[in-house]
Amino acid sequence: IDIADDPQFASGFPVIGGQTPFSGSYDGGGYGISNLRIQSPAEQVGLFAANEGRLQNIVLRSGEIRSNAATRSYVGGIVGINRPGGTITACSNGTRVTGGASSSIGGICGYNDGAKIRDCYNAAKVSGSPLGGGLVGVNGKGSTLSGCYNVGTIEEGSAVAGQNADGGVITNCYYLAETAPAGIGTGSGSATLRSSDEMSSRQMVGDLNAGRDVSPWEESSGS
């Protein structure tokens, strides 16, 4: 799905939702969205502003998502804030994500707030804040981030999460060497550095699938 030449989005794509979080179920079917451009002064910015439902199989291939808010904002490729009850599963981001210096910025989600993210990856640049992360800016209390990886460059932040709050859980996550100085900025969790060869190895599939009977990860012909 390439929206670059669609005249109705000449001034940018509108953020889905706003004051009312998404509460349904949306399956992107694995279709890729290219040349997505979102610029907003809102405090919750992403393809979806906020989520309390189920989002899965959404693929963002290219573009840029940016918050121009003067105050602290929550900016993510898929979702600005993933609220309690929300799940994000098997999604990927290839759009650059940018926000202000005090913002929570993530390739997948800006702020994971008592919610769940699993089986996702980020391959784009995240910039603007020390609370920037390849997967999430902040993984809040009661939140889980599992079976995910980052191969995108993270400026100012960390490769997996800018912060994992007390009571937040990060397990079985990986990041490509040299994408950021650390996997998790503040807080604890399982964020493992991998070389390029390790990232493209058969072992990565097994590691991402660890401890699970059903998982979307599989080995392709190349990697």
Side-chain angles (χ1 to χ4, degrees), residues 4-51:
D5 298 323
D6 193 322
Q8 67 177 318
F9 303 128
S11 60
F13 193 87
V15 175
I16 300 173
Q19 298 302 315
T20 302
F22 178 80
S23 59
S25 179
Y26 179 79
D27 188 332
Y31 289 97
I33 302 173
S34 300
N35 296 302
L36 177 68
R37 305 287 177 183
I38 295 175
Q39 289 199 40
S40 172
E43 295 180 354
Q44 301 174 21
V45 180
L47 180 63
F48 292 81
N51 174 55

mmCIF file of all heavy atoms in Angstrom, residues 4-51:
data_model
loop_
_atom_site.group_PDB
_atom_site.id
_atom_site.type_symbol
_atom_site.label_atom_id
_atom_site.label_comp_id
_atom_site.label_asym_id
_atom_site.label_seq_id
_atom_site.Cartn_x
_atom_site.Cartn_y
_atom_site.Cartn_z
ATOM 1 N N ALA A 4 2.152 7.487 -1.265
ATOM 2 C CA ALA A 4 2.954 8.661 -1.635
ATOM 3 C C ALA A 4 2.221 9.589 -2.594
ATOM 4 O O ALA A 4 2.317 10.809 -2.481
ATOM 5 C CB ALA A 4 4.279 8.219 -2.254
ATOM 6 N N ASP A 5 1.496 9.046 -3.558
ATOM 7 C CA ASP A 5 0.859 9.859 -4.588
ATOM 8 C C ASP A 5 -0.640 10.027 -4.386
ATOM 9 O O ASP A 5 -1.352 10.467 -5.292
ATOM 10 C CB ASP A 5 1.134 9.246 -5.968
ATOM 11 C CG ASP A 5 2.612 9.214 -6.294
ATOM 12 O OD1 ASP A 5 3.301 10.185 -5.920
ATOM 13 O OD2 ASP A 5 3.072 8.240 -6.898
ATOM 14 N N ASP A 6 -1.132 9.670 -3.210
ATOM 15 C CA ASP A 6 -2.565 9.808 -2.937
ATOM 16 C C ASP A 6 -2.855 11.259 -2.553
ATOM 17 O O ASP A 6 -2.391 11.745 -1.514
ATOM 18 C CB ASP A 6 -2.971 8.878 -1.796
ATOM 19 C CG ASP A 6 -4.478 8.739 -1.665
ATOM 20 O OD1 ASP A 6 -5.173 9.752 -1.864
ATOM 21 O OD2 ASP A 6 -4.954 7.632 -1.367
ATOM 22 N N PRO A 7 -3.612 12.003 -3.370
ATOM 23 C CA PRO A 7 -3.824 13.427 -3.119
ATOM 24 C C PRO A 7 -4.512 13.738 -1.800
ATOM 25 O O PRO A 7 -4.300 14.811 -1.223
ATOM 26 C CB PRO A 7 -4.684 13.873 -4.305
ATOM 27 C CG PRO A 7 -5.316 12.625 -4.823
ATOM 28 C CD PRO A 7 -4.325 11.545 -4.579
ATOM 29 N N GLN A 8 -5.318 12.826 -1.282
ATOM 30 C CA GLN A 8 -6.015 13.115 -0.028
ATOM 31 C C GLN A 8 -5.069 13.119 1.170
ATOM 32 O O GLN A 8 -5.420 13.605 2.244
ATOM 33 C CB GLN A 8 -7.145 12.115 0.206
ATOM 34 C CG GLN A 8 -6.708 10.691 0.461
ATOM 35 C CD GLN A 8 -7.883 9.770 0.750
ATOM 36 O OE1 GLN A 8 -8.810 10.142 1.484
ATOM 37 N NE2 GLN A 8 -7.883 8.590 0.162
ATOM 38 N N PHE A 9 -3.844 12.577 0.976
ATOM 39 C CA PHE A 9 -2.865 12.571 2.054
ATOM 40 C C PHE A 9 -1.659 13.451 1.716
ATOM 41 O O PHE A 9 -0.562 13.257 2.257
ATOM 42 C CB PHE A 9 -2.406 11.148 2.358
ATOM 43 C CG PHE A 9 -3.536 10.221 2.715
ATOM 44 C CD1 PHE A 9 -3.686 9.002 2.064
ATOM 45 C CD2 PHE A 9 -4.459 10.579 3.675
ATOM 46 C CE1 PHE A 9 -4.732 8.147 2.381
ATOM 47 C CE2 PHE A 9 -5.509 9.733 4.007
ATOM 48 C CZ PHE A 9 -5.649 8.515 3.354
ATOM 49 N N ALA A 10 -1.855 14.433 0.833
ATOM 50 C CA ALA A 10 -0.754 15.301 0.411
ATOM 51 C C ALA A 10 -0.153 16.069 1.582
ATOM 52 O O ALA A 10 1.049 16.358 1.610
ATOM 53 C CB ALA A 10 -1.248 16.270 -0.664
ATOM 54 N N SER A 11 -0.977 16.416 2.572
ATOM 55 C CA SER A 11 -0.481 17.156 3.732
ATOM 56 C C SER A 11 -0.168 16.238 4.909
ATOM 57 O O SER A 11 0.104 16.714 6.026
ATOM 58 C CB SER A 11 -1.513 18.202 4.163
ATOM 59 O OG SER A 11 -2.740 17.586 4.504
ATOM 60 N N GLY A 12 -0.200 14.947 4.674
ATOM 61 C CA GLY A 12 0.119 13.988 5.722
ATOM 62 C C GLY A 12 -1.052 13.083 6.043
ATOM 63 O O GLY A 12 -2.206 13.398 5.771
ATOM 64 N N PHE A 13 -0.731 11.932 6.616
ATOM 65 C CA PHE A 13 -1.748 10.952 6.976
ATOM 66 C C PHE A 13 -2.271 11.276 8.376
ATOM 67 O O PHE A 13 -1.484 11.549 9.279
ATOM 68 C CB PHE A 13 -1.145 9.558 6.950
ATOM 69 C CG PHE A 13 -2.133 8.436 7.003
ATOM 70 C CD1 PHE A 13 -2.702 7.943 5.836
ATOM 71 C CD2 PHE A 13 -2.505 7.874 8.213
ATOM 72 C CE1 PHE A 13 -3.622 6.903 5.879
ATOM 73 C CE2 PHE A 13 -3.411 6.831 8.266
ATOM 74 C CZ PHE A 13 -3.980 6.343 7.090
ATOM 75 N N PRO A 14 -3.580 11.243 8.598
ATOM 76 C CA PRO A 14 -4.107 11.555 9.934
ATOM 77 C C PRO A 14 -3.868 10.415 10.921
ATOM 78 O O PRO A 14 -3.965 9.237 10.569
ATOM 79 C CB PRO A 14 -5.602 11.755 9.684
ATOM 80 C CG PRO A 14 -5.891 10.904 8.493
ATOM 81 C CD PRO A 14 -4.666 10.986 7.625
ATOM 82 N N VAL A 15 -3.559 10.766 12.154
ATOM 83 C CA VAL A 15 -3.436 9.767 13.209
ATOM 84 C C VAL A 15 -4.805 9.125 13.434
ATOM 85 O O VAL A 15 -5.827 9.814 13.489
ATOM 86 C CB VAL A 15 -2.936 10.421 14.516
ATOM 87 C CG1 VAL A 15 -2.915 9.409 15.649
ATOM 88 C CG2 VAL A 15 -1.554 11.027 14.312
ATOM 89 N N ILE A 16 -4.846 7.807 13.552
ATOM 90 C CA ILE A 16 -6.108 7.113 13.802
ATOM 91 C C ILE A 16 -6.455 7.238 15.285
ATOM 92 O O ILE A 16 -5.658 6.856 16.146
ATOM 93 C CB ILE A 16 -6.012 5.634 13.405
ATOM 94 C CG1 ILE A 16 -5.684 5.507 11.911
ATOM 95 C CG2 ILE A 16 -7.307 4.894 13.726
ATOM 96 C CD1 ILE A 16 -5.391 4.095 11.452
ATOM 97 N N GLY A 17 -7.628 7.747 15.578
ATOM 98 C CA GLY A 17 -8.030 7.946 16.966
ATOM 99 C C GLY A 17 -7.548 9.284 17.483
ATOM 100 O O GLY A 17 -7.130 10.157 16.734
ATOM 101 N N GLY A 18 -7.596 9.456 18.758
ATOM 102 C CA GLY A 18 -7.220 10.722 19.387
ATOM 103 C C GLY A 18 -7.507 10.638 20.868
ATOM 104 O O GLY A 18 -6.829 9.927 21.599
ATOM 105 N N GLN A 19 -8.537 11.312 21.320
ATOM 106 C CA GLN A 19 -8.892 11.273 22.727
ATOM 107 C C GLN A 19 -9.491 9.929 23.137
ATOM 108 O O GLN A 19 -9.437 9.548 24.308
ATOM 109 C CB GLN A 19 -9.890 12.399 23.029
ATOM 110 C CG GLN A 19 -9.348 13.792 22.788
ATOM 111 C CD GLN A 19 -8.101 14.072 23.597
ATOM 112 O OE1 GLN A 19 -8.047 13.765 24.792
ATOM 113 N NE2 GLN A 19 -7.092 14.649 22.958
ATOM 114 N N THR A 20 -10.087 9.210 22.193
ATOM 115 C CA THR A 20 -10.675 7.904 22.491
ATOM 116 C C THR A 20 -9.773 6.799 21.963
ATOM 117 O O THR A 20 -9.598 6.665 20.751
ATOM 118 C CB THR A 20 -12.068 7.770 21.845
ATOM 119 O OG1 THR A 20 -12.911 8.826 22.314
ATOM 120 C CG2 THR A 20 -12.690 6.430 22.206
ATOM 121 N N PRO A 21 -9.167 5.974 22.838
ATOM 122 C CA PRO A 21 -8.279 4.909 22.369
ATOM 123 C C PRO A 21 -9.010 3.886 21.499
ATOM 124 O O PRO A 21 -10.208 3.647 21.690
ATOM 125 C CB PRO A 21 -7.797 4.255 23.674
ATOM 126 C CG PRO A 21 -8.008 5.286 24.721
ATOM 127 C CD PRO A 21 -9.234 6.047 24.298
ATOM 128 N N PHE A 22 -8.288 3.301 20.555
ATOM 129 C CA PHE A 22 -8.826 2.208 19.751
ATOM 130 C C PHE A 22 -9.105 1.032 20.684
ATOM 131 O O PHE A 22 -8.269 0.666 21.511
ATOM 132 C CB PHE A 22 -7.818 1.811 18.679
ATOM 133 C CG PHE A 22 -8.261 0.654 17.830
ATOM 134 C CD1 PHE A 22 -9.156 0.847 16.787
ATOM 135 C CD2 PHE A 22 -7.794 -0.629 18.071
ATOM 136 C CE1 PHE A 22 -9.577 -0.209 15.995
ATOM 137 C CE2 PHE A 22 -8.200 -1.702 17.288
ATOM 138 C CZ PHE A 22 -9.100 -1.484 16.245
ATOM 139 N N SER A 23 -10.293 0.417 20.558
ATOM 140 C CA SER A 23 -10.668 -0.656 21.476
ATOM 141 C C SER A 23 -11.127 -1.920 20.757
ATOM 142 O O SER A 23 -11.593 -2.853 21.397
ATOM 143 C CB SER A 23 -11.774 -0.182 22.424
ATOM 144 O OG SER A 23 -12.930 0.229 21.699
ATOM 145 N N GLY A 24 -11.016 -1.957 19.454
ATOM 146 C CA GLY A 24 -11.452 -3.128 18.706
ATOM 147 C C GLY A 24 -10.306 -4.074 18.411
ATOM 148 O O GLY A 24 -9.332 -4.151 19.159
ATOM 149 N N SER A 25 -10.425 -4.795 17.302
ATOM 150 C CA SER A 25 -9.391 -5.713 16.849
ATOM 151 C C SER A 25 -9.074 -5.397 15.395
ATOM 152 O O SER A 25 -9.981 -5.355 14.558
ATOM 153 C CB SER A 25 -9.871 -7.160 16.985
ATOM 154 O OG SER A 25 -8.884 -8.065 16.527
ATOM 155 N N TYR A 26 -7.794 -5.142 15.112
ATOM 156 C CA TYR A 26 -7.398 -4.833 13.743
ATOM 157 C C TYR A 26 -6.252 -5.738 13.323
ATOM 158 O O TYR A 26 -5.217 -5.804 14.005
ATOM 159 C CB TYR A 26 -6.970 -3.366 13.607
ATOM 160 C CG TYR A 26 -6.535 -3.028 12.199
ATOM 161 C CD1 TYR A 26 -7.485 -2.795 11.201
ATOM 162 C CD2 TYR A 26 -5.188 -2.977 11.854
ATOM 163 C CE1 TYR A 26 -7.092 -2.522 9.895
ATOM 164 C CE2 TYR A 26 -4.787 -2.703 10.556
ATOM 165 C CZ TYR A 26 -5.745 -2.478 9.586
ATOM 166 O OH TYR A 26 -5.360 -2.218 8.302
ATOM 167 N N ASP A 27 -6.416 -6.410 12.202
ATOM 168 C CA ASP A 27 -5.402 -7.292 11.647
ATOM 169 C C ASP A 27 -4.971 -6.720 10.304
ATOM 170 O O ASP A 27 -5.764 -6.671 9.364
ATOM 171 C CB ASP A 27 -5.968 -8.704 11.471
ATOM 172 C CG ASP A 27 -4.910 -9.730 11.081
ATOM 173 O OD1 ASP A 27 -3.900 -9.355 10.452
ATOM 174 O OD2 ASP A 27 -5.103 -10.919 11.405
ATOM 175 N N GLY A 28 -3.717 -6.277 10.223
ATOM 176 C CA GLY A 28 -3.207 -5.694 8.991
ATOM 177 C C GLY A 28 -2.948 -6.700 7.894
ATOM 178 O O GLY A 28 -2.638 -6.319 6.756
ATOM 179 N N GLY A 29 -3.035 -7.984 8.218
ATOM 180 C CA GLY A 29 -2.880 -9.022 7.201
ATOM 181 C C GLY A 29 -1.488 -9.110 6.613
ATOM 182 O O GLY A 29 -1.273 -9.792 5.615
ATOM 183 N N GLY A 30 -0.513 -8.411 7.216
ATOM 184 C CA GLY A 30 0.850 -8.439 6.703
ATOM 185 C C GLY A 30 1.095 -7.545 5.510
ATOM 186 O O GLY A 30 2.202 -7.513 4.960
ATOM 187 N N TYR A 31 0.079 -6.785 5.059
ATOM 188 C CA TYR A 31 0.282 -5.844 3.955
ATOM 189 C C TYR A 31 1.187 -4.709 4.409
ATOM 190 O O TYR A 31 1.043 -4.177 5.508
ATOM 191 C CB TYR A 31 -1.060 -5.279 3.482
ATOM 192 C CG TYR A 31 -1.925 -6.264 2.750
ATOM 193 C CD1 TYR A 31 -2.934 -6.955 3.405
ATOM 194 C CD2 TYR A 31 -1.718 -6.517 1.389
ATOM 195 C CE1 TYR A 31 -3.725 -7.875 2.726
ATOM 196 C CE2 TYR A 31 -2.504 -7.428 0.710
ATOM 197 C CZ TYR A 31 -3.504 -8.103 1.385
ATOM 198 O OH TYR A 31 -4.283 -9.009 0.705
ATOM 199 N N GLY A 32 2.131 -4.318 3.546
ATOM 200 C CA GLY A 32 3.055 -3.249 3.887
ATOM 201 C C GLY A 32 2.527 -1.878 3.501
ATOM 202 O O GLY A 32 1.930 -1.717 2.434
ATOM 203 N N ILE A 33 2.747 -0.883 4.359
ATOM 204 C CA ILE A 33 2.377 0.506 4.085
ATOM 205 C C ILE A 33 3.666 1.287 3.843
ATOM 206 O O ILE A 33 4.535 1.350 4.712
ATOM 207 C CB ILE A 33 1.600 1.123 5.258
ATOM 208 C CG1 ILE A 33 0.331 0.303 5.541
ATOM 209 C CG2 ILE A 33 1.238 2.572 4.959
ATOM 210 C CD1 ILE A 33 -0.414 0.743 6.781
ATOM 211 N N SER A 34 3.780 1.889 2.660
ATOM 212 C CA SER A 34 4.985 2.636 2.293
ATOM 213 C C SER A 34 4.702 4.128 2.221
ATOM 214 O O SER A 34 3.588 4.557 1.943
ATOM 215 C CB SER A 34 5.509 2.159 0.931
ATOM 216 O OG SER A 34 5.838 0.792 0.964
ATOM 217 N N ASN A 35 5.766 4.929 2.483
ATOM 218 C CA ASN A 35 5.704 6.390 2.390
ATOM 219 C C ASN A 35 4.625 7.001 3.288
ATOM 220 O O ASN A 35 3.918 7.924 2.901
ATOM 221 C CB ASN A 35 5.505 6.820 0.937
ATOM 222 C CG ASN A 35 6.680 6.431 0.061
ATOM 223 O OD1 ASN A 35 7.807 6.829 0.323
ATOM 224 N ND2 ASN A 35 6.422 5.629 -0.964
ATOM 225 N N LEU A 36 4.533 6.466 4.489
ATOM 226 C CA LEU A 36 3.601 6.998 5.476
ATOM 227 C C LEU A 36 4.196 8.259 6.091
ATOM 228 O O LEU A 36 5.312 8.235 6.615
ATOM 229 C CB LEU A 36 3.344 5.957 6.560
ATOM 230 C CG LEU A 36 2.437 6.375 7.709
ATOM 231 C CD1 LEU A 36 1.010 6.565 7.223
ATOM 232 C CD2 LEU A 36 2.484 5.330 8.833
ATOM 233 N N ARG A 37 3.471 9.372 6.041
ATOM 234 C CA ARG A 37 3.949 10.639 6.608
ATOM 235 C C ARG A 37 2.926 11.149 7.612
ATOM 236 O O ARG A 37 1.796 11.456 7.256
ATOM 237 C CB ARG A 37 4.151 11.690 5.505
ATOM 238 C CG ARG A 37 5.062 11.238 4.373
ATOM 239 C CD ARG A 37 6.506 11.200 4.769
ATOM 240 N NE ARG A 37 7.346 10.696 3.688
ATOM 241 C CZ ARG A 37 8.655 10.498 3.790
ATOM 242 N NH1 ARG A 37 9.278 10.764 4.912
ATOM 243 N NH2 ARG A 37 9.331 10.016 2.769
ATOM 244 N N ILE A 38 3.342 11.226 8.865
ATOM 245 C CA ILE A 38 2.481 11.765 9.921
ATOM 246 C C ILE A 38 3.268 12.821 10.682
ATOM 247 O O ILE A 38 4.347 12.545 11.206
ATOM 248 C CB ILE A 38 2.022 10.664 10.892
ATOM 249 C CG1 ILE A 38 1.127 9.656 10.177
ATOM 250 C CG2 ILE A 38 1.283 11.281 12.082
ATOM 251 C CD1 ILE A 38 0.740 8.464 11.048
ATOM 252 N N GLN A 39 2.735 14.039 10.737
ATOM 253 C CA GLN A 39 3.285 15.104 11.578
ATOM 254 C C GLN A 39 2.120 15.689 12.352
ATOM 255 O O GLN A 39 1.130 16.113 11.757
ATOM 256 C CB GLN A 39 3.983 16.177 10.751
ATOM 257 C CG GLN A 39 5.286 15.719 10.139
ATOM 258 C CD GLN A 39 6.176 16.882 9.731
ATOM 259 O OE1 GLN A 39 6.269 17.872 10.439
ATOM 260 N NE2 GLN A 39 6.815 16.754 8.592
ATOM 261 N N SER A 40 2.233 15.720 13.677
ATOM 262 C CA SER A 40 1.105 16.140 14.494
ATOM 263 C C SER A 40 1.589 16.896 15.726
ATOM 264 O O SER A 40 2.624 16.562 16.300
ATOM 265 C CB SER A 40 0.300 14.912 14.931
ATOM 266 O OG SER A 40 -0.690 15.260 15.864
ATOM 267 N N PRO A 41 0.827 17.921 16.158
ATOM 268 C CA PRO A 41 1.143 18.617 17.407
ATOM 269 C C PRO A 41 0.561 17.906 18.623
ATOM 270 O O PRO A 41 0.711 18.374 19.756
ATOM 271 C CB PRO A 41 0.473 19.984 17.208
ATOM 272 C CG PRO A 41 -0.716 19.680 16.356
ATOM 273 C CD PRO A 41 -0.270 18.577 15.432
ATOM 274 N N ALA A 42 -0.096 16.779 18.411
ATOM 275 C CA ALA A 42 -0.735 16.047 19.505
ATOM 276 C C ALA A 42 0.307 15.402 20.419
ATOM 277 O O ALA A 42 1.478 15.249 20.067
ATOM 278 C CB ALA A 42 -1.677 14.986 18.943
ATOM 279 N N GLU A 43 -0.137 14.993 21.609
ATOM 280 C CA GLU A 43 0.754 14.359 22.570
ATOM 281 C C GLU A 43 0.814 12.845 22.400
ATOM 282 O O GLU A 43 1.690 12.198 22.966
ATOM 283 C CB GLU A 43 0.327 14.712 23.996
ATOM 284 C CG GLU A 43 0.474 16.201 24.308
ATOM 285 C CD GLU A 43 0.055 16.539 25.717
ATOM 286 O OE1 GLU A 43 -0.459 15.638 26.414
ATOM 287 O OE2 GLU A 43 0.235 17.695 26.120
ATOM 288 N N GLN A 44 -0.123 12.259 21.644
ATOM 289 C CA GLN A 44 -0.128 10.830 21.364
ATOM 290 C C GLN A 44 -0.129 10.651 19.850
ATOM 291 O O GLN A 44 -1.120 10.964 19.186
ATOM 292 C CB GLN A 44 -1.361 10.169 21.978
ATOM 293 C CG GLN A 44 -1.459 10.341 23.484
ATOM 294 C CD GLN A 44 -2.759 9.813 24.057
ATOM 295 O OE1 GLN A 44 -3.446 8.984 23.449
ATOM 296 N NE2 GLN A 44 -3.109 10.270 25.240
ATOM 297 N N VAL A 45 1.001 10.162 19.330
ATOM 298 C CA VAL A 45 1.167 10.118 17.873
ATOM 299 C C VAL A 45 1.714 8.764 17.441
ATOM 300 O O VAL A 45 2.661 8.240 18.023
ATOM 301 C CB VAL A 45 2.109 11.243 17.391
ATOM 302 C CG1 VAL A 45 2.277 11.183 15.876
ATOM 303 C CG2 VAL A 45 1.591 12.612 17.812
ATOM 304 N N GLY A 46 1.110 8.215 16.410
ATOM 305 C CA GLY A 46 1.530 6.971 15.789
ATOM 306 C C GLY A 46 0.527 6.671 14.691
ATOM 307 O O GLY A 46 -0.342 7.490 14.399
ATOM 308 N N LEU A 47 0.628 5.515 14.063
ATOM 309 C CA LEU A 47 -0.445 5.138 13.157
ATOM 310 C C LEU A 47 -1.766 5.166 13.932
ATOM 311 O O LEU A 47 -2.773 5.659 13.457
ATOM 312 C CB LEU A 47 -0.187 3.743 12.581
ATOM 313 C CG LEU A 47 -1.242 3.218 11.598
ATOM 314 C CD1 LEU A 47 -1.309 4.097 10.348
ATOM 315 C CD2 LEU A 47 -0.956 1.768 11.223
ATOM 316 N N PHE A 48 -1.731 4.648 15.179
ATOM 317 C CA PHE A 48 -2.827 4.784 16.133
ATOM 318 C C PHE A 48 -2.346 5.671 17.279
ATOM 319 O O PHE A 48 -1.216 5.500 17.759
ATOM 320 C CB PHE A 48 -3.244 3.429 16.702
ATOM 321 C CG PHE A 48 -3.899 2.514 15.701
ATOM 322 C CD1 PHE A 48 -3.131 1.773 14.808
ATOM 323 C CD2 PHE A 48 -5.282 2.375 15.657
ATOM 324 C CE1 PHE A 48 -3.726 0.919 13.889
ATOM 325 C CE2 PHE A 48 -5.886 1.521 14.738
ATOM 326 C CZ PHE A 48 -5.109 0.799 13.851
ATOM 327 N N ALA A 49 -3.186 6.591 17.735
ATOM 328 C CA ALA A 49 -2.797 7.448 18.859
ATOM 329 C C ALA A 49 -2.661 6.632 20.137
ATOM 330 O O ALA A 49 -1.648 6.712 20.844
ATOM 331 C CB ALA A 49 -3.821 8.565 19.041
ATOM 332 N N ALA A 50 -3.695 5.861 20.457
ATOM 333 C CA ALA A 50 -3.701 5.035 21.665
ATOM 334 C C ALA A 50 -4.485 3.760 21.394
ATOM 335 O O ALA A 50 -5.402 3.738 20.571
ATOM 336 C CB ALA A 50 -4.319 5.796 22.831
ATOM 337 N N ASN A 51 -4.117 2.694 22.102
ATOM 338 C CA ASN A 51 -4.740 1.396 21.861
ATOM 339 C C ASN A 51 -5.127 0.716 23.166
ATOM 340 O O ASN A 51 -4.333 0.644 24.106
ATOM 341 C CB ASN A 51 -3.768 0.484 21.097
ATOM 342 C CG ASN A 51 -4.297 -0.936 20.948
ATOM 343 O OD1 ASN A 51 -5.404 -1.130 20.445
ATOM 344 N ND2 ASN A 51 -3.534 -1.905 21.405
#
